[in-house]
Amino acid sequence: MEGNTVIFSCNVTGNPVPTISWTKKRHPVNTTINSRISFLADKKLLTITNVNRVDSGEYRCVASNILGHDTSNVATLNVQCK
């Protein structure tokens, strides 16, 4: 529902330890443009506060290290109006 907080979680392991990034509709999630979005726990958590329809879409977690990268399945956020 609009106004709620949403948290996406990404459980990643690897050697060397991978770095995590997030995409929405295949574009990088940018926290500097949207202050309602933040990363926690070395980017393993993506938090969106006060969600609205603009936040709806397909989110993915991307884990990368020197050996390559892997992308999670899609997590679809569908924000409903109050």
Side-chain angles (χ1 to χ4, degrees):
M1 291 295 294
E2 273 186 320
N4 288 347
T5 296
V6 173
I7 300 173
F8 291 107
S9 175
C10 184
N11 186 14
V12 175
T13 58
N15 188 9
V17 175
T19 57
I20 298 171
S21 60
W22 291 86
T23 62
K24 176 187 175 194
K25 298 179 184 173
R26 302 197 184 268
H27 298 285
V29 172
N30 189 337
T31 59
T32 57
I33 293 173
N34 190 339
S35 62
R36 295 180 300 103
I37 298 175
S38 61
F39 301 119
L40 301 169
D42 293 329
K43 291 192 173 181
K44 290 181 180 177
L45 299 176
L46 167 63
T47 303
I48 308 172
T49 58
N50 195 25
V51 295
N52 60 53
R53 285 185 177 181
V54 175
D55 300 313
S56 293
E58 296 179 345
Y59 291 82
R60 293 178 187 260
C61 170
V62 181
S64 304
N65 63 18
I66 60 171
L67 300 175
H69 70 277
D70 199 7
T71 304
S72 70
N73 292 329
V74 169
T76 302
L77 176 61
N78 184 8
V79 179
Q80 301 295 314
C81 295
K82 288 185 176 181

